Amino acid sequence: MIRELQKKQLKKVFIILAIAVAIGGFFGYFSKMAVIDLVKGPVPLTEESNLEELEGSYVSWELKYPLGEFIEIKKKTRVRGYTSSPRRSRAGYVALDPEREILIAVELPAKRDEEVEAQMDLFYEAMESGKELPQTGLSVKGELVKLDLESRKYFLSALRGTGLSDLVDGDVYQITDGEIKGDAPETIIFITGFVVLLLVLLFGELFLTIKKSVKKTFESYINANPSITMEAMENDFAQAEKVGGIWVGRRWTYGQMLDHYFIDNSQLVYAHIREESGRNGTSYWFCWNMLDGTQEKVSANEKNCRKLLEITARMPHVVASNSPEMAYLYQHNREQFLNLRYRGQEDAPSDL
């Protein structure tokens, strides 16, 4: 009995763990573990930093000397079924990296256009007037990547006639401001929070499932009822009729889906089937109503619900019926309802 019920409990535990692993793996694979970079924070690019070694890392840098735009990125937005015309989303700029004496690319969101234009004006004004170059710049934080071939072509094209091509040697690195592994930090935080919430709920369910020990539940019941033995319950279970995941015995009804794994049939007064209609069809619940007013219910297909109703109807003290009249009487006149069968005054019909 206990072993049989534990099988379903273990199955539930494994299902929960499998779902948790799947969610964690899915999140890790598609996010490329960007949340780790976000938590650790950006690595500052200093004079000693090696760009090749930091490729793919989340970095921070001060953009002091932007030279000009080399690429514009436009995106379409879709609202209520309508697609807007392409709008400026981001832009790539050529920038001087004085620490390494090279040119790098910095991609910034369109909302920072005015900032970078103002910094560019400061740089060119200082160059033309011979004044000191700007000592501060724009803070940029994002992933350090190599420009792809097409973007590199635009980058080099922007340098024609400037005499700065000598500052490009081999790969061109770009800081993609406001993105880590292709996602904005806000998106990463939202997705991470959602995944964490799912995992908390899953592990909470796992804890409750493990805590709800089958063996301890039966032992507690037997300890509270000295006239009942484990052997008696085992014998009753062995002779019970199995319907889906429910075993209906003479003295008790058993099931892993039940709150306490079993029902004391002597306390059962009313059994019925509840139907719930939705977009995806009709779902069925088999309900047991107890003498103390509590209810146990399990989800089952219609065939199994009908079978459970048929078996329960054999109990002489139980009203097993789907009739609206019985449901109304149970809800509004409990005393009269109990007199139908539980108190043995008369029989009530069973619609099967």
Side-chain angles (χ1 to χ4, degrees), residues 273-306:
I273 301 170
R274 193 173 83 194
E275 298 182 22
E276 295 180 355
S277 299
R279 290 184 178 181
N280 299 321
T282 303
S283 57
Y284 295 88
W285 295 83
F286 191 80
C287 306
W288 295 268
N289 292 79
M290 313 305 290
L291 182 62
D292 62 2
T294 60
Q295 184 188 78
E296 287 270 12
K297 63 179 182 178
V298 296
S299 176
N301 59 44
E302 183 180 10
K303 180 181 177 181
N304 285 346
C305 283
R306 297 275 175 200

Side-chain angles (χ1 to χ4, degrees), residues 17 68 132 163 169 205 227 247 257 341:
L17 288 175
E132 184 182 20
D169 182 19
E205 181 66 19
S227 62
W247 289 261
M257 296 174 287
R341 280 197 171 185

Side-chain angles (χ1 to χ4, degrees), residues 10 18 25 27 76 78 94 97 99 117 133 138 142 145 160 166-167 182 200 207 209 231 243 273 307 312 320 341:
L10 289 173
F27 172 69
K76 295 180 180 180
R78 188 175 180 84
V94 178
D97 178 359
E99 285 83 9
E117 289 292 338
L133 294 176
L138 306 182
V145 297
R160 289 175 186 168
D166 292 342
L167 295 177
V200 167
F207 173 76
T209 300
E231 183 181 3
V243 182
I273 301 170
K307 185 64 177 176
T312 308
R341 280 197 171 185

Side-chain angles (χ1 to χ4, degrees), residues 10 35 37-38 44 63 81 99 109 126 130 139 162 175-176 192 234 241 243 270 275 278 282 291 300 330 338:
L10 289 173
V35 67
D37 290 331
L38 186 61
L63 174 59
E99 285 83 9
S139 174
T162 64
I175 302 172
T176 309
T192 302
E234 290 280 6
E241 292 187 62
V243 182
Y270 178 37
E275 298 182 22
T282 303
L291 182 62
Y330 178 81
L338 292 175

Side-chain angles (χ1 to χ4, degrees), residues 40-213:
K40 289 168 59 178
V43 178
L45 286 187
T46 63
E47 186 175 351
E48 294 77 23
S49 299
N50 186 306
L51 299 187
E52 186 176 358
E53 292 177 357
L54 289 173
E55 182 183 353
S57 300
Y58 179 39
V59 301
S60 63
W61 188 60
E62 192 172 17
L63 174 59
K64 298 177 182 177
Y65 312 132
L67 304 182
E69 182 180 314
F70 74 91
I71 192 169
E72 180 183 44
I73 301 169
K74 293 184 176 183
K75 284 186 178 180
K76 295 180 180 180
T77 56
R78 188 175 180 84
V79 180
R80 297 179 182 177
Y82 295 96
T83 303
S84 67
S85 56
R87 294 184 179 181
R88 181 183 176 93
S89 171
R90 301 178 69 86
Y93 295 88
V94 178
L96 176 64
D97 178 359
E99 285 83 9
R100 276 157 287 277
E101 298 183 348
I102 60 171
L103 297 178
I104 67 171
V106 178
E107 185 184 294
L108 297 163
K111 64 183 180 181
R112 302 196 70 178
D113 281 353
E114 291 185 5
E115 290 181 78
V116 72
E117 289 292 338
Q119 188 68 27
M120 203 181 304
D121 289 343
L122 289 174
F123 171 66
Y124 281 116
E125 182 181 336
M127 290 288 289
E128 292 171 1
S129 64
K131 295 181 180 179
E132 184 182 20
L133 294 176
Q135 298 302 301
T136 60
L138 306 182
S139 174
V140 294
K141 298 176 183 179
E143 186 179 6
L144 181 67
V145 297
K146 285 180 184 177
L147 281 183
D148 57 43
L149 291 177
E150 185 176 3
S151 297
R152 189 175 188 277
K153 180 179 68 176
Y154 289 123
F155 185 91
L156 294 176
S157 178
L159 299 180
R160 289 175 186 168
T162 64
L164 297 174
S165 298
D166 292 342
L167 295 177
V168 178
D169 182 19
D171 295 318
V172 177
Y173 287 90
Q174 171 177 282
I175 302 172
T176 309
D177 183 57
E179 288 190 2
I180 308 173
K181 313 294 186 185
D183 290 313
E186 296 81 6
T187 303
I188 296 169
I189 292 171
F190 175 79
I191 295 175
T192 302
F194 180 71
V195 170
V196 169
L197 177 61
L198 283 179
L199 292 176
V200 167
L201 292 174
L202 280 171
F203 281 106
E205 181 66 19
L206 178 63
F207 173 76
L208 292 176
T209 300
I210 294 173
K211 184 179 178 181
K212 185 184 170 185
S213 167

